[in-house]
Amino acid sequence: MSQIEQAQTEYENFPQTVESVIISTINAAGLPNASYTPFVMDGAKNIYIYVSGLAIHTQNLHVNPLVSVLFIEDESKTDQIFARRRLSFDCTATLIERETENWNQIVTQFKERFGELIEVFRGLPDFRIFRLTPSTGRFIIGFGTAYEISGEQLDKLVHITGNK
């Protein structure tokens, strides 16, 4: 298997090695906020988050739909703290309307992944689902092994070299 094929395989599997994603949102004054939330992802790399309307990041998404997400390897699993495996995407957030067919499908995916607690969230009117649609990204496997991500299905890895 070539280096790019191996990187592609790692890229496809990496998001499922973690249960939560770090998100960075921007408030009305332009100030950033970092947080995290559990997620589910579809085949097109859309990331779905199920969040409380009381959370700062949720309030920020209503004001500014631009969000950056980061999937990162657990510190205890890395060989080198300076080269943790990570995947980041620049995304645009879209609110999914409650009780629609799409919303119900996503809630089911959350329940399958995270269990019965999701039924509690389902009954809380402030909980919302956002679809985070990536436009570009970066996948870092280690020192000298970094890739830009693009393409219609975000499936094209381009190795980042010193010349680029």
Side-chain angles (χ1 to χ4, degrees):
M1 183 181 293
S2 72
Q3 180 181 359
I4 193 73
E5 290 170 329
Q6 183 176 348
Q8 185 72 39
T9 299
E10 289 187 46
Y11 165 64
E12 294 298 327
N13 296 323
F14 185 68
Q16 298 311 314
T17 67
V18 297
E19 293 185 338
S20 63
V21 62
I22 297 169
I23 62 174
S24 180
T25 58
I26 304 165
N27 71 14
L31 298 173
N33 173 263
S35 190
Y36 86 98
T37 182
F39 73 96
V40 296
M41 181 183 277
D42 67 20
K45 301 283 188 263
N46 291 305
I47 302 149
Y48 297 89
I49 59 174
Y50 200 6
V51 291
S52 168
L54 303 176
I56 291 171
H57 52 255
T58 304
Q59 295 168 26
N60 289 350
L61 290 174
H62 284 292
V63 173
N64 185 335
L66 300 179
V67 59
S68 181
V69 300
L70 176 66
F71 304 85
I72 190 161
E73 179 179 39
D74 187 303
E75 288 181 4
S76 67
K77 295 179 181 175
T78 189
D79 294 328
Q80 175 48 255
I81 196 67
F82 285 96
R84 285 167 72 187
R85 192 165 304 207
R86 58 201 178 273
L87 171 62
S88 63
F89 287 118
D90 294 329
C91 303
T92 302
T94 306
L95 182 65
I96 305 295
E97 189 176 333
R98 280 184 79 93
E99 302 302 335
T100 61
E101 183 178 338
N102 189 24
W103 187 87
N104 285 317
Q105 290 172 347
I106 296 163
V107 168
T108 298
Q109 291 174 8
F110 269 94
K111 187 175 177 183
E112 288 170 358
R113 189 162 192 208
F114 300 107
E116 289 300 317
L117 179 61
I118 300 305
E119 284 302 318
V120 174
F121 294 166
R122 187 179 208 145
L124 299 174
D126 71 299
F127 268 75
R128 296 168 182 139
I129 296 174
F130 285 91
R131 178 181 59 241
L132 308 181
T133 305
S135 55
T136 61
R138 282 199 171 200
F139 182 46
I140 313 297
I141 297 175
F143 292 122
T145 316
Y147 299 88
E148 288 184 347
I149 301 162
S150 63
E152 289 197 17
Q153 293 292 316
L154 296 171
D155 57 357
K156 184 179 178 188
L157 296 180
V158 177
H159 192 229
I160 299 170
T161 63
N163 299 331
K164 190 170 181 190

